[in-house]
Amino acid sequence: EVRLLDSGGDLVQPGGSLRLSCVASGFTFNNYPMNWVRQTPEKGLEWVSAISGSGDSTFYVDSVKGRFTISRDNSKNTLYLQMNSLRAEDTALYYCAKNHVDPTGYSFRAFDIWGQGTMVTVSS
Amino acid sequence: DIQMTQSPSSVSASVGDRVTITCRASQGISSWLAWYQQKPGKAPNLLIYAVSSLKSGVPSRFSGSGSGTDFTLTISSLQPEDFATYYCQQANSFPRTFGQGTKVEMK
């Protein structure tokens, strides 16, 4: 079964740091670009960051550039999101999500498998 | 950034109804458009990618169409399990962006 298990969410003070993890199973992890997406009732779904299968290329939404770092350890089938200088507006449910890639290796850039979500709350 | 605007924000419908949701992009996104369904307390679930390609296992009552900036998700005959919130998402460029969601409610 293809599965993503994300974890690491917590209550943290403004200015603090947190590292989210996402453990993948049931597929060849290094073949797939991965993403972090967050959700709040106010803003809905917001894509945060993406990383290529090899880890060589990374992308971020402007609001987290310079503060968040996406990375992956393909030997451990694990995706990470290091979150520094956290702000109240980073409070959200964070999901890891896998790109949909067909058997030829073509990435359709849609997210076909999602973790269950991990809650990050930034508050004093 | 490309803005995605969905309409309506909510729709009241009955089992068996045909439901259409529209998504408009602020600029052309070619065929890089996906649709997701989300139920309360659950992660989003991919329904359609590349405008009209149905993800394996998704019922054929769901269909997608459109090109350029205007796209549509249609549920041909609404079933009880289809009451949920639906989101469109563009994948033409970074940052990826989502519509604000359309809630399909029971009439």
Side-chain angles (χ1 to χ4, degrees), chain A residues 35 37 39 43-47 49-50 59-62 95 99-100 106-117, chain B residues 1 32 34 36 38 41-46 48-50 53 55 87 89-100:
Chain A
N35 304 265
V37 178
Q39 186 171 30
K43 294 183 68 176
L45 290 166
E46 181 183 35
W47 172 86
S49 183
F59 307 88
Y60 301 92
V61 68
D62 280 351
Y95 295 102
N99 266 36
H100 177 55
Y106 187 81
S107 175
F108 288 95
R109 308 178 187 173
F111 310 142
D112 63 352
I113 303 294
W114 296 61
Q116 82 285 0
Chain B
D1 298 0
W32 298 106
Y36 301 85
Q38 187 177 33
K42 300 292 187 182
N45 180 42
L46 177 65
I48 288 171
Y49 60 94
S53 296
K55 180 188 171 186
Y87 296 91
Q89 175 237 327
Q90 68 82 17
N92 183 73
S93 62
F94 289 108
R96 310 301 194 215
T97 46
F98 292 86
Q100 80 281 12

Short mmCIF file of all heavy atoms in Angstrom, two decimals, chain A residues 35 37 39 43-47 49-50 59-62 95 99-100 106-117, chain B residues 1 32 34 36 38 41-46 48-50 53 55 87 89-100:
data_model
loop_
_atom_site.label_atom_id
_atom_site.label_comp_id
_atom_site.label_asym_id
_atom_site.label_seq_id
_atom_site.Cartn_x
_atom_site.Cartn_y
_atom_site.Cartn_z
N ASN A 35 6.08 17.20 -2.01
CA ASN A 35 5.61 18.53 -1.68
C ASN A 35 5.17 18.62 -0.22
O ASN A 35 4.82 17.61 0.40
CB ASN A 35 4.39 18.89 -2.53
CG ASN A 35 4.65 18.78 -4.01
OD1 ASN A 35 4.98 19.76 -4.66
ND2 ASN A 35 4.50 17.58 -4.56
N VAL A 37 2.14 20.87 1.69
CA VAL A 37 0.96 21.72 1.49
C VAL A 37 0.35 21.97 2.86
O VAL A 37 0.28 21.06 3.68
CB VAL A 37 -0.08 21.02 0.58
CG1 VAL A 37 -1.33 21.90 0.42
CG2 VAL A 37 0.52 20.70 -0.79
N GLN A 39 -2.88 23.87 5.29
CA GLN A 39 -4.30 24.23 5.22
C GLN A 39 -4.76 24.91 6.49
O GLN A 39 -4.46 24.45 7.59
CB GLN A 39 -5.14 22.98 4.96
CG GLN A 39 -6.62 23.28 4.72
CD GLN A 39 -7.40 22.06 4.27
OE1 GLN A 39 -7.08 20.92 4.62
NE2 GLN A 39 -8.43 22.28 3.47
N LYS A 43 -7.49 30.44 5.00
CA LYS A 43 -6.82 30.57 3.70
C LYS A 43 -7.01 29.35 2.81
O LYS A 43 -6.61 29.37 1.65
CB LYS A 43 -5.33 30.83 3.91
CG LYS A 43 -5.02 32.16 4.56
CD LYS A 43 -3.51 32.41 4.68
CE LYS A 43 -2.86 32.61 3.33
NZ LYS A 43 -1.42 32.95 3.46
N GLY A 44 -7.56 28.28 3.35
CA GLY A 44 -7.74 27.07 2.55
C GLY A 44 -6.43 26.34 2.35
O GLY A 44 -5.55 26.35 3.19
N LEU A 45 -6.28 25.73 1.18
CA LEU A 45 -5.08 24.97 0.85
C LEU A 45 -4.02 25.89 0.27
O LEU A 45 -4.30 26.68 -0.63
CB LEU A 45 -5.40 23.87 -0.15
CG LEU A 45 -6.25 22.71 0.35
CD1 LEU A 45 -6.77 21.88 -0.82
CD2 LEU A 45 -5.44 21.84 1.31
N GLU A 46 -2.81 25.77 0.78
CA GLU A 46 -1.68 26.56 0.29
C GLU A 46 -0.48 25.66 0.08
O GLU A 46 0.02 25.05 1.03
CB GLU A 46 -1.33 27.68 1.27
CG GLU A 46 -0.18 28.56 0.79
CD GLU A 46 0.22 29.63 1.80
OE1 GLU A 46 0.15 29.35 3.02
OE2 GLU A 46 0.64 30.71 1.38
N TRP A 47 0.00 25.59 -1.14
CA TRP A 47 1.24 24.86 -1.43
C TRP A 47 2.40 25.61 -0.79
O TRP A 47 2.47 26.84 -0.88
CB TRP A 47 1.42 24.74 -2.93
CG TRP A 47 2.74 24.18 -3.35
CD1 TRP A 47 3.07 22.87 -3.48
CD2 TRP A 47 3.91 24.92 -3.67
NE1 TRP A 47 4.38 22.74 -3.87
CE2 TRP A 47 4.93 23.99 -3.99
CE3 TRP A 47 4.22 26.28 -3.72
CZ2 TRP A 47 6.21 24.38 -4.36
CZ3 TRP A 47 5.49 26.68 -4.08
CH2 TRP A 47 6.48 25.73 -4.40
N SER A 49 6.02 24.04 -0.52
CA SER A 49 7.36 23.74 -1.03
C SER A 49 7.34 22.43 -1.80
O SER A 49 6.46 21.59 -1.59
CB SER A 49 8.34 23.64 0.15
OG SER A 49 9.65 23.42 -0.30
N ALA A 50 8.30 22.28 -2.70
CA ALA A 50 8.46 21.06 -3.47
C ALA A 50 9.94 20.73 -3.61
O ALA A 50 10.80 21.61 -3.54
CB ALA A 50 7.82 21.19 -4.85
N PHE A 59 11.75 24.27 -4.37
CA PHE A 59 10.89 25.40 -4.69
C PHE A 59 10.09 25.78 -3.45
O PHE A 59 9.72 24.90 -2.67
CB PHE A 59 9.94 25.04 -5.84
CG PHE A 59 10.64 24.48 -7.04
CD1 PHE A 59 10.89 23.12 -7.15
CD2 PHE A 59 11.04 25.32 -8.07
CE1 PHE A 59 11.55 22.60 -8.25
CE2 PHE A 59 11.70 24.81 -9.17
CZ PHE A 59 11.97 23.45 -9.27
N TYR A 60 9.80 27.10 -3.33
CA TYR A 60 9.09 27.57 -2.15
C TYR A 60 8.09 28.66 -2.52
O TYR A 60 8.31 29.43 -3.45
CB TYR A 60 10.08 28.17 -1.14
CG TYR A 60 11.14 27.22 -0.65
CD1 TYR A 60 12.37 27.12 -1.28
CD2 TYR A 60 10.90 26.41 0.46
CE1 TYR A 60 13.34 26.24 -0.85
CE2 TYR A 60 11.87 25.52 0.92
CZ TYR A 60 13.08 25.44 0.25
OH TYR A 60 14.04 24.56 0.70
N VAL A 61 7.03 28.76 -1.73
CA VAL A 61 6.16 29.92 -1.82
C VAL A 61 6.91 31.10 -1.20
O VAL A 61 7.73 30.90 -0.27
CB VAL A 61 4.82 29.64 -1.12
CG1 VAL A 61 4.98 29.52 0.38
CG2 VAL A 61 3.78 30.68 -1.48
N ASP A 62 6.68 32.28 -1.68
CA ASP A 62 7.45 33.44 -1.24
C ASP A 62 7.40 33.66 0.28
O ASP A 62 8.39 34.07 0.88
CB ASP A 62 6.95 34.71 -1.94
CG ASP A 62 7.48 34.84 -3.35
OD1 ASP A 62 8.37 34.05 -3.73
OD2 ASP A 62 7.00 35.73 -4.07
N TYR A 95 0.50 19.02 5.36
CA TYR A 95 0.46 17.72 4.69
C TYR A 95 1.69 17.54 3.81
O TYR A 95 2.10 18.48 3.11
CB TYR A 95 -0.74 17.62 3.74
CG TYR A 95 -2.11 17.66 4.36
CD1 TYR A 95 -2.87 18.83 4.33
CD2 TYR A 95 -2.69 16.52 4.91
CE1 TYR A 95 -4.16 18.87 4.84
CE2 TYR A 95 -3.98 16.54 5.42
CZ TYR A 95 -4.70 17.72 5.39
OH TYR A 95 -5.98 17.75 5.88
N ASN A 99 3.91 13.67 -5.84
CA ASN A 99 3.52 13.96 -7.23
C ASN A 99 3.01 12.71 -7.93
O ASN A 99 3.53 11.61 -7.72
CB ASN A 99 4.71 14.50 -8.02
CG ASN A 99 4.76 16.00 -8.02
OD1 ASN A 99 4.43 16.64 -7.03
ND2 ASN A 99 5.21 16.58 -9.12
N HIS A 100 2.03 12.90 -8.78
CA HIS A 100 1.54 11.81 -9.63
C HIS A 100 2.45 11.69 -10.84
O HIS A 100 2.59 12.63 -11.63
CB HIS A 100 0.11 12.09 -10.06
CG HIS A 100 -0.45 11.06 -10.98
ND1 HIS A 100 -0.49 9.72 -10.66
CD2 HIS A 100 -0.99 11.16 -12.22
CE1 HIS A 100 -1.03 9.05 -11.65
NE2 HIS A 100 -1.34 9.89 -12.62
N TYR A 106 6.67 10.40 -16.49
CA TYR A 106 6.14 11.75 -16.73
C TYR A 106 5.39 12.21 -15.49
O TYR A 106 4.47 11.56 -15.02
CB TYR A 106 5.22 11.73 -17.94
CG TYR A 106 4.75 13.11 -18.36
CD1 TYR A 106 5.56 13.94 -19.13
CD2 TYR A 106 3.51 13.58 -17.96
CE1 TYR A 106 5.14 15.20 -19.51
CE2 TYR A 106 3.07 14.84 -18.33
CZ TYR A 106 3.89 15.65 -19.11
OH TYR A 106 3.46 16.90 -19.48
N SER A 107 5.76 13.39 -14.99
CA SER A 107 5.10 13.94 -13.80
C SER A 107 3.96 14.85 -14.20
O SER A 107 4.15 15.82 -14.92
CB SER A 107 6.10 14.72 -12.95
OG SER A 107 5.41 15.34 -11.86
N PHE A 108 2.78 14.53 -13.70
CA PHE A 108 1.62 15.35 -14.01
C PHE A 108 1.44 16.49 -13.02
O PHE A 108 0.48 17.26 -13.11
CB PHE A 108 0.36 14.47 -14.05
CG PHE A 108 0.32 13.58 -15.26
CD1 PHE A 108 0.78 12.29 -15.20
CD2 PHE A 108 -0.18 14.06 -16.45
CE1 PHE A 108 0.75 11.47 -16.32
CE2 PHE A 108 -0.23 13.26 -17.58
CZ PHE A 108 0.25 11.96 -17.52
N ARG A 109 2.35 16.58 -12.04
CA ARG A 109 2.39 17.70 -11.11
C ARG A 109 1.16 17.81 -10.24
O ARG A 109 0.95 18.85 -9.60
CB ARG A 109 2.62 19.02 -11.86
CG ARG A 109 3.81 19.02 -12.80
CD ARG A 109 3.90 20.36 -13.50
NE ARG A 109 4.91 20.39 -14.54
CZ ARG A 109 5.08 21.42 -15.38
NH1 ARG A 109 4.32 22.49 -15.27
NH2 ARG A 109 6.02 21.37 -16.30
N ALA A 110 0.32 16.81 -10.24
CA ALA A 110 -0.81 16.76 -9.31
C ALA A 110 -0.39 15.89 -8.14
O ALA A 110 0.55 15.10 -8.25
CB ALA A 110 -2.04 16.20 -10.00
N PHE A 111 -1.10 16.00 -7.03
CA PHE A 111 -0.70 15.32 -5.80
C PHE A 111 -1.61 14.13 -5.55
O PHE A 111 -2.76 14.31 -5.13
CB PHE A 111 -0.74 16.30 -4.64
CG PHE A 111 -0.03 17.61 -4.92
CD1 PHE A 111 -0.53 18.81 -4.45
CD2 PHE A 111 1.14 17.64 -5.67
CE1 PHE A 111 0.11 20.00 -4.71
CE2 PHE A 111 1.80 18.84 -5.93
CZ PHE A 111 1.27 20.03 -5.45
N ASP A 112 -1.10 12.93 -5.80
CA ASP A 112 -1.99 11.77 -5.78
C ASP A 112 -2.03 11.03 -4.47
O ASP A 112 -2.97 10.25 -4.23
CB ASP A 112 -1.68 10.81 -6.94
CG ASP A 112 -0.28 10.21 -6.84
OD1 ASP A 112 0.52 10.64 -5.98
OD2 ASP A 112 0.00 9.30 -7.65
N ILE A 113 -1.06 11.22 -3.62
CA ILE A 113 -1.05 10.60 -2.29
C ILE A 113 -0.69 11.68 -1.27
O ILE A 113 0.27 12.43 -1.49
CB ILE A 113 -0.05 9.44 -2.20
CG1 ILE A 113 -0.36 8.38 -3.26
CG2 ILE A 113 -0.07 8.83 -0.80
CD1 ILE A 113 -1.68 7.66 -3.08
N TRP A 114 -1.47 11.72 -0.18
CA TRP A 114 -1.26 12.71 0.87
C TRP A 114 -1.06 12.02 2.21
O TRP A 114 -1.64 10.95 2.45
CB TRP A 114 -2.48 13.63 0.98
CG TRP A 114 -2.78 14.47 -0.22
CD1 TRP A 114 -3.08 14.03 -1.49
CD2 TRP A 114 -2.83 15.90 -0.28
NE1 TRP A 114 -3.31 15.11 -2.32
CE2 TRP A 114 -3.17 16.26 -1.61
CE3 TRP A 114 -2.64 16.92 0.66
CZ2 TRP A 114 -3.31 17.60 -2.02
CZ3 TRP A 114 -2.78 18.24 0.26
CH2 TRP A 114 -3.11 18.57 -1.06
N GLY A 115 -0.26 12.65 3.08
CA GLY A 115 -0.20 12.20 4.46
C GLY A 115 -1.49 12.56 5.18
O GLY A 115 -2.39 13.19 4.61
N GLN A 116 -1.54 12.20 6.43
CA GLN A 116 -2.75 12.46 7.21
C GLN A 116 -2.75 13.87 7.80
O GLN A 116 -3.78 14.32 8.29
CB GLN A 116 -2.88 11.42 8.35
CG GLN A 116 -2.06 11.69 9.60
CD GLN A 116 -0.59 11.42 9.44
OE1 GLN A 116 -0.11 11.01 8.39
NE2 GLN A 116 0.17 11.63 10.52
N GLY A 117 -1.62 14.54 7.73
CA GLY A 117 -1.51 15.90 8.24
C GLY A 117 -0.93 15.95 9.64
O GLY A 117 -1.17 15.06 10.46
N ASP B 1 2.03 35.43 -9.14
CA ASP B 1 1.43 34.15 -8.85
C ASP B 1 0.11 34.03 -9.62
O ASP B 1 -0.58 35.01 -9.84
CB ASP B 1 1.15 34.00 -7.36
CG ASP B 1 2.41 34.03 -6.50
OD1 ASP B 1 3.51 34.18 -7.09
OD2 ASP B 1 2.29 33.92 -5.27
N TRP B 32 -2.44 22.14 -17.19
CA TRP B 32 -1.94 21.80 -15.87
C TRP B 32 -2.97 22.13 -14.79
O TRP B 32 -2.78 23.05 -13.97
CB TRP B 32 -0.62 22.51 -15.58
CG TRP B 32 0.47 22.11 -16.52
CD1 TRP B 32 0.99 22.85 -17.55
CD2 TRP B 32 1.19 20.88 -16.51
NE1 TRP B 32 1.99 22.14 -18.17
CE2 TRP B 32 2.13 20.93 -17.56
CE3 TRP B 32 1.14 19.72 -15.72
CZ2 TRP B 32 3.00 19.88 -17.84
CZ3 TRP B 32 2.02 18.67 -16.00
CH2 TRP B 32 2.92 18.76 -17.05
N ALA B 34 -5.70 20.34 -11.91
CA ALA B 34 -6.15 19.17 -11.17
C ALA B 34 -7.34 19.53 -10.29
O ALA B 34 -7.53 20.70 -9.92
CB ALA B 34 -5.02 18.61 -10.32
N TYR B 36 -9.49 18.14 -6.70
CA TYR B 36 -9.43 17.33 -5.50
C TYR B 36 -10.78 17.38 -4.79
O TYR B 36 -11.49 18.38 -4.84
CB TYR B 36 -8.36 17.85 -4.53
CG TYR B 36 -6.98 17.87 -5.12
CD1 TYR B 36 -6.54 18.95 -5.87
CD2 TYR B 36 -6.10 16.81 -4.91
CE1 TYR B 36 -5.27 18.97 -6.42
CE2 TYR B 36 -4.82 16.83 -5.44
CZ TYR B 36 -4.41 17.91 -6.20
OH TYR B 36 -3.16 17.92 -6.73
N GLN B 38 -12.30 16.86 -0.84
CA GLN B 38 -11.91 16.75 0.56
C GLN B 38 -13.14 16.61 1.44
O GLN B 38 -14.07 17.41 1.33
CB GLN B 38 -11.07 17.95 1.01
CG GLN B 38 -10.50 17.77 2.42
CD GLN B 38 -9.62 18.92 2.86
OE1 GLN B 38 -9.83 20.07 2.49
NE2 GLN B 38 -8.60 18.63 3.67
N GLY B 41 -12.05 16.40 8.11
CA GLY B 41 -11.09 15.63 8.87
C GLY B 41 -10.18 14.74 8.06
O GLY B 41 -9.40 13.97 8.62
N LYS B 42 -10.27 14.84 6.73
CA LYS B 42 -9.46 13.99 5.86
C LYS B 42 -8.58 14.84 4.95
O LYS B 42 -8.86 16.02 4.71
CB LYS B 42 -10.36 13.11 4.98
CG LYS B 42 -11.26 12.17 5.76
CD LYS B 42 -10.47 11.10 6.46
CE LYS B 42 -11.38 10.05 7.09
NZ LYS B 42 -10.60 9.01 7.81
N ALA B 43 -7.51 14.25 4.46
CA ALA B 43 -6.68 14.92 3.47
C ALA B 43 -7.40 15.00 2.13
O ALA B 43 -8.31 14.20 1.85
CB ALA B 43 -5.37 14.16 3.31
N PRO B 44 -7.04 15.96 1.31
CA PRO B 44 -7.61 16.00 -0.04
C PRO B 44 -7.30 14.72 -0.81
O PRO B 44 -6.30 14.04 -0.56
CB PRO B 44 -6.90 17.20 -0.68
CG PRO B 44 -6.50 18.06 0.48
CD PRO B 44 -6.14 17.09 1.57
N ASN B 45 -8.19 14.42 -1.75
CA ASN B 45 -8.07 13.21 -2.56
C ASN B 45 -8.10 13.62 -4.03
O ASN B 45 -9.06 14.27 -4.48
CB ASN B 45 -9.22 12.27 -2.25
CG ASN B 45 -9.18 11.00 -3.06
OD1 ASN B 45 -8.13 10.40 -3.24
ND2 ASN B 45 -10.33 10.58 -3.57
N LEU B 46 -7.07 13.25 -4.78
CA LEU B 46 -7.00 13.62 -6.20
C LEU B 46 -8.09 12.90 -6.98
O LEU B 46 -8.22 11.68 -6.90
CB LEU B 46 -5.62 13.25 -6.77
CG LEU B 46 -5.41 13.50 -8.26
CD1 LEU B 46 -5.47 14.98 -8.58
CD2 LEU B 46 -4.06 12.91 -8.71
N ILE B 48 -8.98 14.27 -10.52
CA ILE B 48 -8.69 14.49 -11.94
C ILE B 48 -7.38 15.25 -12.06
O ILE B 48 -7.13 16.19 -11.29
CB ILE B 48 -9.84 15.29 -12.60
CG1 ILE B 48 -11.08 14.40 -12.74
CG2 ILE B 48 -9.43 15.85 -13.96
CD1 ILE B 48 -12.32 15.15 -13.18
N TYR B 49 -6.56 14.87 -13.03
CA TYR B 49 -5.32 15.59 -13.32
C TYR B 49 -5.26 15.88 -14.82
O TYR B 49 -5.99 15.27 -15.62
CB TYR B 49 -4.10 14.80 -12.85
CG TYR B 49 -3.96 13.44 -13.51
CD1 TYR B 49 -3.17 13.25 -14.64
CD2 TYR B 49 -4.63 12.32 -12.98
CE1 TYR B 49 -3.05 12.02 -15.25
CE2 TYR B 49 -4.51 11.07 -13.59
CZ TYR B 49 -3.73 10.93 -14.71
OH TYR B 49 -3.61 9.69 -15.31
N ALA B 50 -4.41 16.81 -15.20
CA ALA B 50 -4.27 17.20 -16.61
C ALA B 50 -5.64 17.49 -17.23
O ALA B 50 -5.96 17.01 -18.32
CB ALA B 50 -3.54 16.11 -17.40
N SER B 53 -8.09 13.85 -17.06
CA SER B 53 -7.68 12.47 -16.81
C SER B 53 -8.13 12.04 -15.42
O SER B 53 -7.75 12.65 -14.42
CB SER B 53 -6.17 12.33 -16.94
OG SER B 53 -5.76 12.59 -18.25
N LYS B 55 -8.16 9.91 -12.16
CA LYS B 55 -7.26 9.06 -11.39
C LYS B 55 -7.88 7.67 -11.28
O LYS B 55 -9.10 7.52 -11.19
CB LYS B 55 -7.05 9.64 -9.99
CG LYS B 55 -6.11 8.81 -9.11
CD LYS B 55 -6.09 9.33 -7.68
CE LYS B 55 -5.33 8.39 -6.77
NZ LYS B 55 -5.42 8.80 -5.35
N TYR B 87 -11.67 21.28 -4.71
CA TYR B 87 -10.65 22.30 -4.98
C TYR B 87 -10.03 22.06 -6.36
O TYR B 87 -9.73 20.91 -6.71
CB TYR B 87 -9.52 22.25 -3.95
CG TYR B 87 -9.93 22.56 -2.54
CD1 TYR B 87 -10.33 21.55 -1.67
CD2 TYR B 87 -9.90 23.86 -2.04
CE1 TYR B 87 -10.69 21.82 -0.36
CE2 TYR B 87 -10.27 24.15 -0.74
CZ TYR B 87 -10.66 23.13 0.09
OH TYR B 87 -11.02 23.40 1.40
N GLN B 89 -6.55 23.12 -8.69
CA GLN B 89 -5.15 23.47 -8.44
C GLN B 89 -4.42 23.58 -9.77
O GLN B 89 -4.57 22.72 -10.64
CB GLN B 89 -4.47 22.39 -7.59
CG GLN B 89 -2.99 22.59 -7.37
CD GLN B 89 -2.15 21.40 -7.83
OE1 GLN B 89 -2.58 20.26 -7.77
NE2 GLN B 89 -0.94 21.67 -8.30
N GLN B 90 -3.66 24.66 -9.92
CA GLN B 90 -2.87 24.80 -11.14
C GLN B 90 -1.45 24.29 -10.89
O GLN B 90 -0.90 24.47 -9.80
CB GLN B 90 -2.86 26.25 -11.65
CG GLN B 90 -2.13 27.26 -10.77
CD GLN B 90 -0.62 27.29 -10.96
OE1 GLN B 90 -0.08 26.79 -11.96
NE2 GLN B 90 0.09 27.87 -9.99
N ALA B 91 -0.89 23.66 -11.91
CA ALA B 91 0.47 23.15 -11.81
C ALA B 91 1.32 23.64 -12.98
O ALA B 91 2.31 23.02 -13.36
CB ALA B 91 0.45 21.62 -11.76
N ASN B 92 0.90 24.75 -13.57
CA ASN B 92 1.65 25.31 -14.70
C ASN B 92 2.96 25.94 -14.25
O ASN B 92 3.96 25.90 -14.97
CB ASN B 92 0.79 26.35 -15.40
CG ASN B 92 1.46 26.93 -16.62
OD1 ASN B 92 1.58 26.27 -17.65
ND2 ASN B 92 1.92 28.18 -16.51
N SER B 93 2.96 26.53 -13.06
CA SER B 93 4.15 27.23 -12.59
C SER B 93 4.17 27.24 -11.07
O SER B 93 3.15 26.98 -10.41
CB SER B 93 4.16 28.66 -13.13
OG SER B 93 3.04 29.38 -12.65
N PHE B 94 5.36 27.57 -10.53
CA PHE B 94 5.49 27.77 -9.09
C PHE B 94 5.21 29.22 -8.75
O PHE B 94 5.61 30.12 -9.51
CB PHE B 94 6.89 27.37 -8.63
CG PHE B 94 7.14 25.89 -8.66
CD1 PHE B 94 7.98 25.34 -9.63
CD2 PHE B 94 6.55 25.05 -7.73
CE1 PHE B 94 8.21 23.97 -9.66
CE2 PHE B 94 6.78 23.68 -7.75
CZ PHE B 94 7.62 23.14 -8.72
N PRO B 95 4.57 29.51 -7.63
CA PRO B 95 4.04 28.54 -6.67
C PRO B 95 2.77 27.88 -7.18
O PRO B 95 1.93 28.52 -7.83
CB PRO B 95 3.75 29.40 -5.45
CG PRO B 95 3.38 30.73 -6.00
CD PRO B 95 4.27 30.91 -7.21
N ARG B 96 2.62 26.59 -6.90
CA ARG B 96 1.35 25.95 -7.19
C ARG B 96 0.27 26.65 -6.37
O ARG B 96 0.52 27.07 -5.23
CB ARG B 96 1.39 24.48 -6.80
CG ARG B 96 2.58 23.68 -7.32
CD ARG B 96 2.68 23.67 -8.82
NE ARG B 96 3.64 22.65 -9.27
CZ ARG B 96 4.42 22.78 -10.32
NH1 ARG B 96 4.38 23.90 -11.03
NH2 ARG B 96 5.24 21.81 -10.66
N THR B 97 -0.90 26.81 -6.93
CA THR B 97 -1.98 27.50 -6.22
C THR B 97 -3.28 26.75 -6.37
O THR B 97 -3.53 26.09 -7.39
CB THR B 97 -2.14 28.95 -6.71
OG1 THR B 97 -2.13 28.98 -8.15
CG2 THR B 97 -1.02 29.83 -6.20
N PHE B 98 -4.11 26.89 -5.33
CA PHE B 98 -5.40 26.23 -5.26
C PHE B 98 -6.53 27.25 -5.34
O PHE B 98 -6.35 28.41 -4.93
CB PHE B 98 -5.54 25.48 -3.94
CG PHE B 98 -4.65 24.29 -3.77
CD1 PHE B 98 -3.35 24.44 -3.29
CD2 PHE B 98 -5.09 23.01 -4.07
CE1 PHE B 98 -2.52 23.34 -3.12
CE2 PHE B 98 -4.28 21.90 -3.90
CZ PHE B 98 -2.99 22.07 -3.44
N GLY B 99 -7.67 26.81 -5.80
CA GLY B 99 -8.87 27.61 -5.66
C GLY B 99 -9.31 27.60 -4.19
O GLY B 99 -8.79 26.82 -3.38
N GLN B 100 -10.30 28.45 -3.90
CA GLN B 100 -10.72 28.60 -2.52
C GLN B 100 -11.69 27.50 -2.06
O GLN B 100 -12.02 27.41 -0.88
CB GLN B 100 -11.40 29.97 -2.32
CG GLN B 100 -12.85 30.06 -2.76
CD GLN B 100 -13.03 30.23 -4.27
OE1 GLN B 100 -12.08 30.08 -5.06
NE2 GLN B 100 -14.24 30.56 -4.68
#
